[in-house]
Amino acid sequence: MKLSELENIKNKDYVVFLPSSDWDIKESVEYTFDSVIYIDYEPTIQDVQRTLTFINKNVKQVILFDFCPFFREIIHHIKKEKKVTWVFKNSIAMMTDGGVRATVSNIMEFTDRRIVDEIACIDYAAYQVFKELGFHAKHLILDVERKEEEEVNSTSIGLLGNDHDPNHNTYNQLSALRMVDYSKLKLVHVMPATKEFISFFDLKEEPVENIDEAMRDNCVNLYVNFTGNNFQVILKSMDLGIPCLLGNTDLFDEYPVLKEYLIMDSDDDIPEIAKRIENAKENREKIMKEYRKFRKEYSKLSKKSIKEILVSEV
């Protein structure tokens, strides 16, 4: 729902504000929460006034995702009896990015001023850090609608990261394809360097329009990131019945089989990526059997985390 449609919200217990910069998690936010408002333009003074009037008259709780300047315009004027939850999307490792540091500065500023009541972290390690620092922090587990597993007969491989983000390790993953058998590569790329790399190393690419096309009907998907993982992408890939190789993540720490087959020991080790591609192909049924156990428990934990955050559920 757009900001201009704010008054049309039916569930007025809370309202979620999601800036366009966070639309990479839009699907999981929309599945997890009702009353999601998308901010896809620079709000006017009239928008600010209208939003504040709506919040102060109607809702019990305001949930902000990451940051946009609009938040600073409204947050000072939200009535004290309203609960304000600010969600930090990134991992602590992403603090090397100036934009992420600015988001954290804003969250900490308004928490210190007792304007924000709690910080919700999507990344578990980030939650632990904020908690140890003495902030009122909670771990938010976003879910997505689970699709039925598909029968896969293809030997294609999908690369699910963003080639413009150096944290997504694109070129090491592409290099590993020279060491394995595959029919075609599917990925979304925007960098000219990626196109040149694919051409120079004579990789067999099938053009796709979006990440959903890239992840479907493959024997393996690659998401071997140094950091900057989007769990929405991982869940959607695995829900399709396609093993997804991962880099630096604690997602499967409690599931030894998944950790053994899907988590890299060294994210930038090209031969290891190649070896794990072959292992995942050979052990797909074993991987998916364990994943089904993980997935059931993950959805339970997601529901529990939402209840702990929402005023209406406490």
Side-chain angles (χ1 to χ4, degrees):
M1 190 176 293
K2 295 182 179 180
L3 187 60
S4 59
E5 302 171 311
L6 184 66
E7 288 83 1
N8 295 331
I9 286 177
K10 294 181 180 179
N11 180 357
K12 295 181 180 179
D13 286 330
Y14 64 90
V15 61
V16 177
F17 291 101
L18 187 72
S20 57
S21 57
D22 292 322
W23 286 6
D24 59 325
I25 59 171
K26 181 179 178 180
E27 190 172 337
S28 55
V29 173
E30 193 172 46
Y31 179 79
T32 305
F33 293 101
D34 297 320
S35 307
V36 179
I37 298 296
Y38 309 119
I39 304 173
D40 57 356
Y41 65 93
E42 185 174 348
T44 64
I45 294 175
Q46 290 75 22
D47 289 322
V48 172
Q49 293 171 340
R50 218 179 81 255
T51 301
L52 283 168
T53 299
F54 180 83
I55 290 173
N56 288 328
K57 283 187 175 181
N58 296 286
V59 303
K60 301 175 184 176
Q61 181 176 7
V62 178
I63 301 173
L64 310 174
F65 269 79
D66 269 6
F67 178 77
C68 72
F70 175 64
F71 295 167
R72 294 191 70 96
E73 296 293 328
I74 65 172
I75 200 167
H76 301 88
H77 308 288
I78 297 173
K79 289 182 178 180
K80 290 296 292 181
E81 63 265 27
K82 310 295 182 180
K83 180 180 178 182
V84 178
T85 301
W86 203 321
V87 180
F88 179 57
K89 178 181 74 173
N90 294 287
S91 65
I92 292 298
M94 289 295 290
M95 288 281 284
T96 54
D97 182 280
V100 175
R101 290 198 301 275
T103 296
V104 171
S105 294
N106 277 278
I107 293 174
M108 293 176 71
E109 173 194 344
F110 288 107
T111 304
D112 287 338
R113 293 168 61 184
R114 302 185 184 278
I115 294 173
V116 170
D117 298 291
E118 70 182 4
I119 303 170
C121 300
I122 294 176
D123 180 76
Y124 183 72
Y127 152 72
Q128 290 179 307
V129 170
F130 279 111
K131 187 177 180 180
E132 286 297 318
L133 289 172
F135 291 97
H136 184 204
K138 291 182 179 176
H139 183 210
L140 170 61
I141 303 174
L142 297 176
D143 205 351
V144 293
E145 182 180 2
R146 188 172 180 182
K147 307 293 186 181
E148 289 188 11
E149 293 180 21
E150 298 180 351
E151 183 176 348
V152 178
N153 299 310
S154 168
T155 58
S156 63
I157 293 176
L159 201 157
L160 309 183
N162 303 318
D163 69 332
H164 55 82
D165 186 343
N167 288 306
H168 282 197
N169 196 21
T170 297
Y171 302 110
N172 282 333
Q173 294 177 83
L174 289 176
S175 298
L177 295 186
R178 293 288 297 175
M179 305 173 69
V180 300
D181 292 325
Y182 73 102
S183 60
K184 54 194 173 186
L185 158 70
K186 293 187 279 186
L187 79 160
V188 179
H189 54 87
V190 299
M191 300 291 288
T194 306
K195 183 177 181 180
E196 293 174 9
F197 193 99
I198 290 171
S199 175
F200 183 83
F201 287 100
D202 195 28
L203 299 177
K204 297 167 285 188
E205 180 191 11
E206 176 184 318
V208 293
E209 295 295 325
N210 54 59
I211 190 71
D212 287 337
E213 290 183 13
M215 73 170 59
R216 298 184 75 92
D217 195 30
N218 301 319
C219 60
V220 176
N221 284 326
L222 304 180
Y223 198 56
V224 186
N225 302 344
F226 300 130
T227 186
N229 294 317
N230 181 347
F231 290 165
Q232 172 180 302
V233 172
I234 301 169
L235 294 173
K236 289 178 67 175
S237 170
M238 296 291 293
D239 284 354
L240 291 171
I242 302 170
C244 187
L245 297 187
L246 307 173
N248 182 20
T249 181
D250 57 8
L251 183 62
F252 296 139
D253 276 3
E254 303 301 318
Y255 292 81
V257 172
L258 297 179
K259 189 169 184 178
E260 176 186 354
Y261 285 107
L262 300 180
I263 309 298
M264 298 285 296
D265 293 326
S266 180
D267 315 81
D268 60 354
D269 187 331
I270 295 171
E272 185 190 351
I273 296 173
K275 181 180 178 180
R276 286 186 178 272
I277 290 173
E278 297 297 347
N279 284 344
K281 288 194 293 185
E282 293 171 6
N283 293 279
R284 177 178 175 273
E285 291 303 322
K286 185 176 182 180
I287 292 168
M288 294 313 304
K289 181 180 180 180
E290 188 72 4
Y291 175 73
R292 293 177 196 114
K293 299 176 187 176
F294 160 85
R295 190 65 171 90
K296 186 176 181 180
E297 184 63 21
Y298 181 92
S299 291
K300 288 181 181 177
L301 291 173
S302 175
K303 290 181 174 68
K304 181 180 177 183
S305 79
I306 301 306
K307 287 182 178 180
E308 291 177 351
I309 287 171
L310 294 182
V311 167
S312 59
E313 299 286 355
V314 176

